[in-house]
Amino acid sequence: MQYAAINGELVNMAAAVVPVTDHGFLYGLGLFETFRTYQGAPYLLERHLERMASGCEELGIPFTTTAAEVTDWIQRLMHAGGLQDAYVRYTVSAGEAPLGLPSGDYTKPNHIVLAKALSEPSPSLYESGKMLQRLSTPRNTPEGEVRFKSLHYMNSILAKRELNQYGQYVQGAEGLQLTRDGYIAEGIVSNIFWTREKVLYTPALSTGILPGITRAVVMEIASQQEFACIETLATWEDLLQADEIFLTGSVAELVPVTTLRDQGGAETTISNGHIGPVTAVLLGMYRQKAGYTS
């Protein structure tokens, strides 16, 4: 990445800075959204901004940015970087404030947009899937009543470090975090779904998971396709009995899981090692909705 958009202005990465008194830096007071573009247009941007606005309101961060403004920032970034499609991260940091925990609302947040080249999806990933490694690092409880996509990411970083400790056995795998009560929560950077006898399941929001944008769209598509979808509390043992499993994310879309691995190294093959029929239908419908062309 050569450039960033800071408060609407394109700057060289070397000059892309915020003050050390920004409470996003000092206290993690800020939110971010990650998404991708299709044919150069940011997908589901309005939904991402709605989630951003809701979180900012609760944190006392003013947020009046429009989809048109963010789209303009992204397109200028992509043009400057020569990108056809991009992985985009949009961050709103609380802004400068006196040292110490805030007693009131913020007034001047910093808006940062980063964009990098979007890798072409590997056909084998969407046909043969990936491994899901069970982790011992529990999912932390949400910052508020509903989990924010906040700048406080230590729990996910610790989970990633644990995943890396399994070495070559989990190359390319995603890590699965459970709640402290032992219920399936989510991947380090993904939501999870599974099927059992043609019924679709996903963890309930009461587990403290992020209410993912792609998660919500998949549930809408499932309803349109008359797949029953149940938000539930489930255990690792429930997952072992699944017919199909897939992960969702705004950049990765829907990724099949074809191997489960526990902390002792025992592996269980799911869906005979290939994408299952329900996952294939939902992935196809999601891409059609997004306007994806291979």
Side-chain angles (χ1 to χ4, degrees):
M1 293 184 295
Q2 293 179 288
Y3 302 96
I6 308 292
N7 298 320
E9 298 295 324
L10 253 62
V11 298
N12 190 281
M13 284 298 293
V17 298
V18 296
V20 294
T21 52
D22 188 310
H23 275 204
F25 169 72
L26 289 176
Y27 303 113
L29 258 294
L31 303 168
F32 74 99
E33 295 287 333
T34 55
F35 44 90
R36 59 160 292 175
T37 66
Y38 290 87
Q39 287 79 55
Y43 184 50
L44 299 173
L45 178 59
E46 291 79 5
R47 294 200 191 198
H48 285 281
L49 297 186
E50 286 172 8
R51 184 168 67 178
M52 175 80 79
S54 177
C56 282
E57 182 178 11
E58 191 164 343
L59 295 175
I61 300 172
F63 186 83
T64 58
T65 311
T66 66
E69 288 176 306
V70 178
T71 298
D72 176 62
W73 301 343
I74 292 168
Q75 290 180 340
R76 285 192 285 129
L77 263 181
M78 292 175 63
H79 178 75
L83 302 175
Q84 297 298 314
D85 270 313
Y87 170 112
V88 180
R89 171 170 165 146
Y90 172 37
T91 302
V92 176
S93 187
E96 291 184 83
L99 189 64
L101 297 182
S103 57
D105 291 347
Y106 294 94
T107 59
K108 194 175 181 181
N110 285 306
H111 298 255
I112 304 109
V113 181
L114 304 174
K116 67 178 182 180
L118 187 67
S119 301
E120 277 295 314
S122 166
S124 63
L125 174 63
Y126 292 93
E127 293 168 4
S128 302
K130 64 163 50 183
M131 174 184 287
L132 187 62
Q133 170 68 54
R134 178 177 175 173
L135 302 177
S136 61
T137 304
R139 199 42 146 176
N140 61 342
T141 54
E143 299 87 342
E145 187 172 335
V146 176
R147 181 177 297 277
F148 296 138
K149 198 168 178 68
S150 77
L151 303 187
H152 179 49
Y153 234 53
M154 188 178 296
N155 181 244
S156 294
I157 292 171
L158 292 175
K160 183 69 171 182
R161 288 176 64 84
E162 180 190 346
L163 178 64
N164 290 341
Q165 290 172 4
Y166 290 102
Q168 62 181 359
Y169 300 106
V170 298
Q171 190 169 8
E174 167 69 308
L176 177 69
Q177 293 185 262
L178 279 60
T179 69
R180 293 188 182 279
D181 294 328
Y183 295 117
I184 297 166
E186 56 193 337
I188 300 173
V189 292
S190 60
N191 288 125
I192 183 170
F193 288 82
W194 64 96
T195 69
R196 179 69 175 165
E197 298 179 352
K198 300 297 179 68
V199 176
L200 189 63
Y201 297 91
T202 193
L205 292 181
S206 62
T207 60
I209 62 172
L210 181 75
I213 303 297
T214 305
R215 174 184 182 272
V217 172
V218 166
M219 293 174 71
E220 291 166 11
I221 293 172
S223 177
Q224 293 166 4
Q225 296 299 307
E226 298 185 350
F227 288 128
C229 185
I230 299 174
E231 296 180 83
T232 187
L233 299 178
T235 65
W236 175 256
E237 288 67 31
D238 294 320
L239 209 57
L240 291 172
Q241 301 301 314
D243 298 320
E244 302 176 41
I245 303 171
F246 62 90
L247 306 172
T248 63
S250 294
V251 176
E253 304 172 325
L254 284 68
V255 177
V257 169
T258 50
T259 304
L260 294 176
R261 187 176 190 272
D262 68 18
Q263 292 147 297
E267 297 183 5
T268 301
T269 300
I270 302 297
S271 189
N272 295 317
H274 294 88
I275 185 172
V278 175
T279 307
V281 167
L282 293 173
L283 174 60
M285 295 296 296
Y286 181 86
R287 286 180 167 175
Q288 182 179 8
K289 185 179 179 68
Y292 172 83
T293 55
S294 57

